[in-house]
Amino acid sequence: MDRMETICIMCPMGCSLTVESDGGNISVKGNTCLRGKVYGENEFTSPKRVVTSLVRLEDGGVVSVKTNGLIPKSMIGDILRTIKDVRVKKPVHIGDIIIKDVLNTGVDVVATSVREQ
Amino acid sequence: MYNYDVIVIGGGSAGMSAALEARKNGAEKVAILERDSRLGGILNQCIHNGFGLHYFKEELTGPEYANKFVKLVDESDIDVYLDTLVTSMTKDKKIVAVNPVDGVMNMTAKAVVLAMGCRERTAGAIAMPGSRPAGIYTAGMAQRLANIDGYLVGKKVVILGSGDIGLIMARRMTFEGAKVLAVLELMPYSSGLKRNIVQCLEDYNIPLYYSHTVTRAKGKNRLEGIYYAPVDENRRPILEQEKYIECDTLLLSVGLIPANDMALALGVETDPVTGSMAVDERRETSIEGIFASGNVLHVHDLVDNVSEESAIAGRYAGEYSKGVRENGRPYSVKASSGVRYALPQKVYSGEGKVKIFFRVGNIYKNAKLVVKSGDNVIFTKKYMILSPGEMEYVLLDKSSLSGDVSIALEV
Amino acid sequence: MYDVIIIGGGVVGASALREAVSYGMKALLLEADDDVATGTSRANSGIIHAGYDAKPNSLKAKFNVRGNALCYELAGELGIDAKRIGSLVVSTKEGLKGLEDLEKRGKENGVDVKIIRREEILRIEKNVADDIEYALYAKDGGIISPYKFTIALADNAVINGGEVILESKVVKIDNNGGKFTVYTENGKSYETKIVVNSAGGHANDINAMLGDEIYDTEFRRGDYFVLDTKEAKNISTVLFPLPDERGKGVLVAPTVDGNVIYGPTSIKVESIEDTGVTGEGLDIIRASVTKSYKCPNYRNVIRVYAGVRSIVGGDFVIKWSDKVDNYFILAGICSPGLTSAPAIGEYVAKEIADRLGKKEKKKLIPNKRTKHFASMSVDELNELVKEDPRWCKIVCRCEKVSEKEIVEAINSPVKATSVDAVKRRARAGMGRCGGGFCAPDVMEIIARELDIPLTAVKKGGKNSNIAVSYVKEDGIDV
């Protein structure tokens, strides 16, 4: 049986959740509302995050980037390591695609700040 | 030449919002004085996401949030002075400012909005024992070096303080190649957002030790490690239980202090709890025509609230510059019994609603908030939880005001 | 071949170098660290002592009294501030006897001192504690920045032909009868006729290299609080409690740069390197300050620091070696060492000049007083900004330090190559934000001026690099 403990982030209550699965059914304990149950289930089955990071510029410096959608939490490390090897040329503008469809997630890594020439 | 209707000091989220709103509300000549070489303030280095959900109804990173305002300022006829530092200001709103292009500028304004933000409390300010080698920095300085300049300040990191900046930096340092060994929190709870505790620490198995503090730093030129210990109920370290962690970096996230020194020097009235200016609902300070908003007034959790508050300050600064004055009857607002502070500290009788922000002093569960005006209870609300880390607000009918306002908790 | 090599760039060494230069000697100062004034001369009270405290006829008394006069005299030539704000040793009714003893000692030392009563005390300092009844007032007490003083002495020596070489830890000295060869850690060597040991807490290391006497040395740490400039309005003089066997006690004083300090403690430590402030030390200060001062305000603390002084017996050691010819030893220069430094330098140089047969003392070119944005008039600023716009580019907002001042500090006669070295000269980062805002900007200016990568910029001292790598240079462990 799989089991996970986490804190619900849906409101300042911060309920301590215990999520368990016997293979089929998922049970959430410790939540005090329905939002907490849904949160617990999602965190257990397919936690997702937006990743923000920095890409090096070709002639020194960095520009900030993010994934323009949620990616599986388990892929954060691989995405960061992909970003690590990329070098970008100025100028960069907000929304410029830095890596298209990063690691086949269907999500792009885009610039979030401006670096003029 | 430098005569303005409204001068806004500070070009971060507060300043830009105030300037835009002042321009919309009567002020024809508006200037922003910004000490950095671009607008946006500290948002430029807050490259994580989570901004704007309230104000723009979408989730943005700091630079993206800032940029929305920068565009509006660029499209407006507001004069922006960059690399500009205000060196003095008088009660009658004469401002001396300098920058490398214009030199010394003697400026005048009919109204001023103070929007200088805040600064971080340092190892010195908390009188942290131990040596002062390289490797001990405020979290914000490490954030700037990483996110603006692209450099890491260390590889093995301990963070003191679990405020949002500390939590955010734990994840940032991890993402950029450092190992974060622990986060220590003096209090038995975190003042950071729950979301940040989960997504910045738990996601990466970074331990958070509540009721712990750094007892001393070790290392001559470069930090070699820190000693830390649990604290007793008076927050004094229990030295018998002191432990040691080897690390090359200690980041401090131990509080933000409004950068209001210039205003305080003018003798403006202050709120003893926020340590900053007391303002009325229009965000006017006790000095006529000098308004204030954003983190220079009180430290906000969300930039969305800064933008909203600054729009209020900007609007009334704009109106003030055109001669509009408040003529409602003033009532003081006082926080008590569990409510640490409330802002604004003064409201007026009249039409419409007024929003009062407040922050509690501890974690309260199932507490009832009671707002009185004079002897009348004008508002109550039950909260399942109230936490010092989350600023709350109540919306009051101005028509219900009949006396000084008190905001208190019944637990 | 040098006439003299001075080992150690504290205030005494810098003063000796400058005086040696005035006799036309070819003189070199070797400093182990990356700046002068990084040891005891950096972290002390910065007091110009009047001279009532030292035992009559001691070296401390002699050099203190002469040094007091010289500090004020030299400040102008060196382009720094020395403020004669007077000092008070305060006591309750019960302490009168102690004050009378001090007064007697002071008069024997030739110091202008007098005992005054509360009424008169309040005219000098309104914030003495309520139960203070008497005070010993010395009008010649004052304040000076100990590190700026040291730096200015070294700078002045350099512009007058002296040499200062930093990052040169002395590791070996060969004595070939009439000629010394001094070897440094970085593989260089220098020949000289005379060696002066002004290595402060490391004096015994140098003595050991030459087979000289090892002094029984005690190290004592002094902790301090530094307060925001906002507190300066509350204190106008140097306020001491009655001294006891451990020293002059915890004082309250303004600094020349507009801050206020509370301290020092006097805590026995193992070595000169033990400069870490302790909670215990800070508690001692908190408990002591209130005895003399009415309004301590720890909310306005912006920094704490500690310095270690070395003590050899009851007096300074200032003498030619008994064992090694042409070797001059300075050791145990604890309080009032800062005040005494110019007089010690004067004495040492005269001794060496006599030995080398150099009689003429030349007039030295004075230092140019560095300009500071914060203390300039608008007109002056308007003129300067036309020549160089960097005068109006403010880098340190707390202390209002312009980029131009930082560039000048970096390129001063004794170059400032670290963030701390810039801070000591230009005050960038000395304010309430502790450099949190401006340190990255200062780093960038240093990197640009010295043409080094940002990762090579140090806070101060070996391995003290602030930016250690680019982001994502190593593996990412997520």
Side-chain angles (χ1 to χ4, degrees):
Chain A
M1 191 163 80
D2 282 342
R3 188 182 139 99
M4 183 184 82
E5 287 183 10
T6 189
I7 307 169
C8 177
I9 66 168
M10 298 315 287
C11 83
M13 276 294 277
C15 296
S16 293
L17 304 182
T18 305
V19 191
E20 287 177 337
S21 157
D22 56 10
N25 293 326
I26 296 169
S27 79
V28 179
K29 288 192 191 116
N31 60 310
T32 44
C33 72
L34 186 64
R35 287 199 303 162
K37 180 172 155 54
V38 174
Y39 173 80
E41 286 169 358
N42 285 337
E43 276 296 290
F44 186 79
T45 52
S46 58
K48 290 194 167 70
R49 303 284 184 266
V50 165
V51 174
T52 64
S53 192
L54 296 154
V55 170
R56 300 261 297 269
L57 296 168
E58 269 183 7
D59 40 4
V62 286
V63 64
S64 60
V65 296
K66 70 174 183 184
T67 57
N68 64 358
L70 291 161
I71 55 105
K73 190 178 127 184
S74 58
M75 291 185 72
I76 293 174
D78 289 334
I79 288 176
L80 290 171
R81 281 181 284 276
T82 307
I83 290 173
K84 173 182 148 96
D85 296 327
V86 174
R87 295 291 179 278
V88 179
K89 245 199 181 98
K90 285 193 281 193
V92 185
H93 296 104
I94 290 175
D96 286 1
I97 293 175
I98 306 295
I99 307 171
K100 180 112 190 111
D101 186 17
V102 62
L103 300 178
N104 306 314
T105 51
V107 168
D108 304 328
V109 173
V110 299
T112 57
S113 50
V114 182
R115 291 290 184 271
E116 293 294 356
Q117 201 49 264
Chain B
M1 181 164 157
Y2 299 116
N3 303 327
Y4 287 92
D5 292 331
V6 175
I7 290 180
V8 179
I9 305 178
S13 47
M16 290 190 290
S17 173
L20 288 163
E21 236 17 67
R23 182 69 190 89
K24 272 188 224 159
N25 287 279
E28 274 151 36
K29 280 199 77 187
V30 177
I32 296 176
L33 312 184
E34 164 57 42
R35 56 156 206 96
D36 209 343
S37 48
R38 60 178 139 181
L39 290 171
I42 228 69
L43 280 176
N44 287 321
Q45 68 184 55
C46 298
I47 64 161
H48 54 282
N49 63 325
F51 301 90
L53 279 169
H54 298 262
Y55 204 82
F56 291 113
K57 310 291 175 216
E58 61 175 315
E59 193 167 13
L60 300 165
T61 64
E64 291 172 309
Y65 187 100
N67 202 253
K68 295 208 175 238
F69 283 92
V70 174
K71 273 191 182 152
L72 295 175
V73 173
D74 282 349
E75 287 159 11
S76 76
D77 58 1
I78 294 169
D79 289 344
V80 177
Y81 295 85
L82 298 174
D83 291 318
T84 300
L85 192 89
V86 173
T87 60
S88 74
M89 180 176 68
T90 62
K91 282 185 180 180
D92 54 357
K93 298 172 271 297
K94 290 194 171 69
I95 289 173
V96 180
V98 299
N99 70 35
V101 179
D102 307 278
V104 185
M105 297 178 284
N106 290 300
M107 315 181 95
T108 64
K110 291 173 186 154
V112 171
V113 182
L114 305 173
M116 293 92 87
C118 57
R119 63 189 153 86
E120 297 176 278
R121 191 169 276 134
T122 62
I126 61 167
M128 191 179 77
S131 51
R132 287 291 178 272
I136 304 176
Y137 312 109
T138 60
M141 177 175 150
Q143 186 178 50
R144 139 98 202 248
L145 276 167
N147 296 353
I148 304 283
D149 304 303
Y151 295 95
L152 267 190
V153 294
K155 297 290 161 84
K156 289 166 81 177
V157 185
V158 171
I159 297 176
L160 176 63
S162 65
D164 286 316
I165 309 169
L167 301 174
I168 291 289
M169 279 312 288
R171 181 174 59 186
R172 177 60 51 218
M173 295 301 280
T174 305
F175 276 13
E176 308 307 330
K179 175 87 188 150
V180 179
L181 304 166
V183 177
L184 307 174
E185 170 57 58
L186 180 69
M187 304 301 284
Y189 54 82
S190 165
S191 64
L193 301 171
K194 281 282 170 312
R195 176 167 111 146
N196 286 335
I197 291 177
V198 171
Q199 298 193 351
C200 298
L201 301 187
E202 288 196 352
D203 277 3
Y204 310 99
N205 300 314
I206 298 168
L208 168 57
Y209 301 114
Y210 289 115
S211 301
H212 274 71
T213 195
V214 174
T215 47
R216 73 202 138 103
K218 189 188 163 208
K220 186 174 183 289
N221 291 340
R222 150 73 47 186
L223 188 67
E224 291 164 21
I226 56 116
Y227 292 88
Y228 69 104
V231 296
D232 63 21
E233 59 275 17
N234 300 316
R235 290 183 234 156
R236 298 281 292 190
I238 306 166
L239 291 175
E240 297 73 40
Q241 296 178 42
E242 193 177 63
K243 285 186 198 151
Y244 181 71
I245 313 185
E246 201 186 293
C247 59
D248 63 12
T249 306
L250 173 67
L251 298 185
L252 300 166
S253 167
V254 290
L256 299 172
I257 304 166
N260 54 18
D261 308 278
M262 198 167 50
L264 299 198
L266 289 181
V268 62
E269 271 175 36
T270 58
D271 180 317
V273 177
T274 61
S276 202
M277 294 77 86
V279 290
D280 70 8
E281 63 178 69
R282 300 145 63 237
R283 301 302 186 273
E284 188 177 28
T285 67
S286 63
I287 300 173
E288 231 196 272
I290 297 186
F291 297 76
S293 67
N295 282 354
V296 76
L297 210 48
H298 58 140
V299 177
H300 297 65
D301 324 320
L302 300 175
V303 69
D304 307 67
N305 290 336
V306 170
S307 299
E308 183 186 324
E309 176 172 272
S310 303
I312 298 171
R315 173 185 159 194
Y316 287 105
E319 289 185 1
Y320 182 94
S321 74
K322 288 290 137 213
V324 181
R325 297 291 182 271
E326 174 62 47
N327 47 27
R329 200 177 155 167
Y331 299 110
S332 73
V333 179
K334 291 238 156 52
S336 65
S337 165
V339 180
R340 209 165 71 82
Y341 76 84
L343 190 142
Q345 289 84 351
K346 189 162 56 172
V347 292
Y348 298 98
S349 62
E351 301 293 304
K353 302 222 177 223
V354 60
K355 202 184 228 184
I356 298 185
F357 290 97
F358 67 94
R359 210 182 269 281
V360 292
N362 210 327
I363 290 181
Y364 294 98
K365 291 194 173 171
N366 301 316
K368 186 175 163 195
L369 186 82
V370 178
V371 182
K372 286 185 187 167
S373 176
D375 293 330
N376 304 327
V377 173
I378 56 168
F379 182 90
T380 64
K381 185 175 172 184
K382 278 204 167 148
Y383 290 85
M384 274 171 74
I385 185 156
L386 284 165
S387 144
E390 317 248 349
M391 194 160 75
E392 302 278 349
Y393 67 86
V394 291
L395 214 47
L396 301 180
D397 278 321
K398 292 176 66 155
S399 59
S400 68
L401 299 174
S402 59
D404 286 346
V405 178
S406 75
I407 299 185
L409 278 187
E410 286 176 9
V411 184
Chain C
M1 170 93 101
Y2 289 97
D3 289 322
V4 57
I5 287 182
I6 296 160
I7 302 171
V11 67
V12 174
S15 167
L17 178 72
R18 179 178 172 279
E19 287 287 334
V21 166
S22 76
Y23 282 102
M25 291 179 214
K26 187 169 161 53
L28 166 67
L29 186 148
L30 294 174
E31 165 57 44
D33 221 322
D34 60 7
D35 194 10
V36 295
T38 62
T40 309
S41 300
R42 165 170 64 180
N44 57 69
S45 308
I47 303 297
I48 302 175
H49 290 287
Y52 50 77
D53 193 57
K55 269 202 201 98
N57 302 315
S58 63
L59 292 177
K60 284 188 178 175
K62 173 182 156 188
F63 288 110
N64 184 345
V65 173
R66 170 74 183 143
N68 178 284
L70 283 177
C71 282
Y72 296 115
E73 207 177 296
L74 278 179
E77 282 176 52
L78 296 176
I80 58 166
D81 293 322
K83 292 184 182 164
R84 199 188 304 255
I85 57 171
S87 69
L88 291 172
V89 182
V90 296
S91 85
T92 59
K93 225 176 252 160
E94 290 68 39
L96 182 59
K97 173 73 179 62
L99 288 183
E100 284 169 350
D101 291 347
L102 265 191
E103 184 188 33
K104 188 162 159 271
R105 220 193 267 186
K107 290 200 161 138
E108 268 183 71
N109 290 345
V111 180
D112 187 339
V113 283
K114 61 175 179 182
I115 290 178
I116 57 175
R117 287 167 171 278
R118 183 164 178 91
E119 197 184 73
E120 203 176 333
I121 296 172
L122 291 176
R123 279 203 291 271
I124 295 167
E125 179 48 64
K126 61 184 188 306
N127 288 323
V128 291
D130 289 336
D131 57 352
I132 294 301
E133 291 297 333
Y134 300 103
L136 182 77
Y137 174 59
K139 74 169 182 34
D140 290 322
I143 51 175
I144 194 163
S145 161
Y147 46 84
K148 279 189 184 164
F149 190 20
T150 309
I151 292 163
L153 285 164
D155 277 349
N156 195 241
V158 169
I159 63 171
N160 282 287
E163 288 178 57
V164 173
I165 306 184
L166 303 172
E167 296 183 277
S168 298
K169 185 179 177 181
V170 172
V171 289
K172 192 174 98 166
I173 306 172
D174 284 345
N175 178 8
N176 308 313
K179 189 186 88 179
F180 296 94
T181 309
V182 179
Y183 298 88
T184 56
E185 200 173 35
N186 51 13
K188 300 218 169 100
S189 65
Y190 308 88
E191 294 186 337
T192 181
K193 294 174 192 161
I194 288 169
V195 170
V196 175
N197 177 355
S198 68
H202 298 287
N204 276 339
D205 301 348
I206 309 299
N207 279 2
M209 288 174 206
L210 283 163
D212 211 308
E213 191 183 347
I214 301 302
Y215 295 110
D216 194 3
T217 308
E218 184 177 280
F219 297 105
R220 285 194 170 270
R221 192 191 73 233
D223 305 272
Y224 295 84
F225 284 104
V226 183
L227 290 103
D228 196 292
T229 47
K230 287 176 202 163
E231 285 294 311
K233 62 180 187 302
N234 294 325
I235 178 87
S236 50
T237 187
V238 184
L239 208 57
F240 293 100
L242 256 184
D244 61 20
E245 65 286 351
R246 279 168 303 146
K248 296 186 186 77
V250 173
L251 62 84
V252 177
T255 72
V256 278
D257 292 310
N259 295 98
V260 174
I261 54 169
Y262 307 158
T265 52
S266 177
I267 295 170
K268 207 175 162 193
V269 291
E270 288 303 306
S271 94
I272 193 75
E273 310 284 347
D274 289 345
T275 54
V277 174
T278 64
E280 173 210 1
L282 298 178
D283 284 345
I284 292 172
I285 300 174
R286 287 188 190 99
S288 307
V289 163
T290 42
K291 288 179 194 159
S292 54
Y293 183 55
K294 202 162 72 171
C295 48
N297 182 0
Y298 297 95
R299 274 187 82 146
N300 276 338
V301 168
I302 58 167
R303 200 163 43 247
V304 292
Y305 71 91
V308 177
R309 49 212 188 255
S310 35
I311 299 157
V312 179
D315 207 353
F316 296 152
V317 177
I318 299 175
K319 61 169 195 180
W320 287 106
S321 163
D322 305 327
K323 295 188 175 164
V324 183
D325 271 352
N326 297 327
Y327 176 47
F328 201 99
I329 303 171
L330 298 159
I333 313 289
C334 51
S335 180
L338 177 70
T339 315
S340 305
I344 297 172
E346 182 185 62
Y347 175 79
V348 175
K350 173 81 167 56
E351 285 287 307
I352 298 168
D354 285 350
R355 193 157 283 198
L356 296 173
K358 294 192 185 274
K359 294 199 170 60
E360 294 268 313
K361 213 177 164 183
K362 68 174 179 190
K363 183 102 184 94
L364 297 177
I365 304 162
N367 284 352
K368 252 198 337 210
R369 203 183 159 88
T370 45
K371 290 194 165 87
H372 294 293
F373 175 91
S375 51
M376 258 187 257
S377 71
V378 169
D379 290 344
E380 198 177 353
L381 211 47
N382 272 328
E383 276 311 301
L384 283 172
V385 75
K386 279 182 218 153
E387 290 164 29
D388 194 332
R390 291 176 299 181
W391 277 114
C392 282
K393 170 88 174 90
I394 304 302
V395 175
C396 167
R397 55 170 109 164
C398 304
E399 296 292 320
K400 299 197 174 63
V401 182
S402 67
E403 180 173 342
K404 178 69 177 172
E405 290 160 72
I406 290 166
V407 170
E408 288 197 339
I410 294 166
N411 298 311
S412 59
V414 176
K415 270 187 176 257
T417 59
S418 71
V419 173
D420 280 354
V422 167
K423 174 167 146 181
R424 284 191 285 273
R425 285 162 179 79
R427 281 189 68 73
M430 278 286 184
R432 45 187 77 106
C433 90
F437 284 120
C438 70
D441 296 322
V442 172
M443 288 164 67
E444 275 165 23
I445 298 169
I446 293 174
R448 186 188 73 209
E449 290 296 313
L450 302 179
D451 195 21
I452 55 174
L454 200 83
T455 45
V457 177
K458 296 184 173 74
K459 174 178 184 285
K462 241 184 208 169
N463 301 322
S464 67
N465 309 52
I466 297 172
V468 299
S469 74
Y470 283 114
V471 294
K472 294 195 186 70
E473 206 158 72
D474 300 342
I476 295 159
D477 184 21
V478 175

